[in-house]
Every structure is written in C-alpha cells, then in structure tokens.
Amino acid sequence: DVQLVESGGGSVQAGGSLRLSCAASGYTYRRYCMGWFRQAPGKEREGVALIDSDGSASSADSVKGRFTISKDNAKNTLYLLMSSLKPEDSAMYYCAAGWNCAVVAGAIPVTWPTYWGEGTQVTVS
C-alpha cells in the first residue's frame, strides 16, 4: 500500500522560510511523478510544484522563484523549500504521487495524482 507522510509545517512570520518533507513508502518511489499541493479554507486545492521521475521540476506561477521542490531518492523523501513566505501561502500542504503530471498554462492540475498524504499545516502571519 502506498503511504505519503508530510512533516515540517508550522507557523512562520511573513518573509520567513520553511521546509516541508514527505516520506514515501510502499512503492517504487523513483517511478512516480511527485508533487506538492495546498488548500486554504474556503478555497479549491491548487498545485504548487511537481518533480517527475527523471528529476525535472516545475512550479506554479504563483510560487515561482520562492518555492523549490526536490527529492532524495536514497531516502524516498520529497521536499518543498518555501522562502519569502506570504500570508496568502497559509494553507494545508499535501504531498501527492502519480503519473502524467504536467504544468498547464502556468498552473498544476489537481487531477493527475493517484496517492495523497494527510497534509501538514502552514500558517504565515
């Protein structure tokens, strides 16, 4: 069974940084496209960044230049380094895995993941 467990969320002041982690288990990690998504109260879930099985990474226009996605295949762990955080970045952040990931018109669709973690809360004030 596939399991994704996020960690690293918390409260931070505007302009600060956080690094989220996602520990993956139960499958061949390297074969999947991995991504980070977020959802704020009353808003739809949106894609933040993704990294494909070949290591190629992309991010949504809304976080480009501030957020960096990476992965450590040896540790089966996905990361999201968030810097220059803004109050509008406050949300529950989710790790996801699947196939056929893509960026469409500067945004990351939420339809491609097959597996989702439970999320970690990020609050920027």
Side-chain angles (χ1 to χ4, degrees):
D1 194 18
V2 175
Q3 290 188 334
L4 301 170
V5 180
E6 303 94 336
S7 61
S11 297
V12 64
Q13 291 188 339
S17 299
L18 276 177
R19 190 180 77 160
L20 305 183
S21 299
C22 173
S25 62
Y27 66 102
T28 306
Y29 172 78
R30 294 175 182 80
R31 296 180 183 175
Y32 285 68
C33 184
M34 304 290 295
W36 287 98
F37 294 77
R38 67 185 181 186
Q39 188 167 18
K43 295 187 177 180
E44 294 185 351
R45 188 169 296 190
E46 65 170 342
V48 174
L50 60 85
I51 185 165
D52 212 336
S53 56
D54 63 359
S56 56
S58 302
S59 58
D61 286 351
S62 58
V63 303
K64 198 175 296 289
R66 299 189 299 121
F67 290 13
T68 303
I69 189 172
S70 62
K71 62 178 180 176
D72 185 332
N73 288 335
K75 295 182 178 180
N76 277 10
T77 302
L78 179 73
Y79 301 101
L80 183 69
L81 177 61
M82 306 183 293
S83 59
S84 301
L85 283 161
K86 306 174 182 179
E88 52 263 44
D89 294 319
S90 297
M92 185 70 80
Y93 282 72
Y94 299 90
C95 171
W99 297 270
N100 300 318
C101 57
V103 177
V104 180
I108 297 173
V110 301
T111 53
W112 61 266
T114 301
Y115 306 105
W116 294 87
E118 295 294 318
T120 185
Q121 179 69 40
V122 172
T123 303
V124 185
S125 59

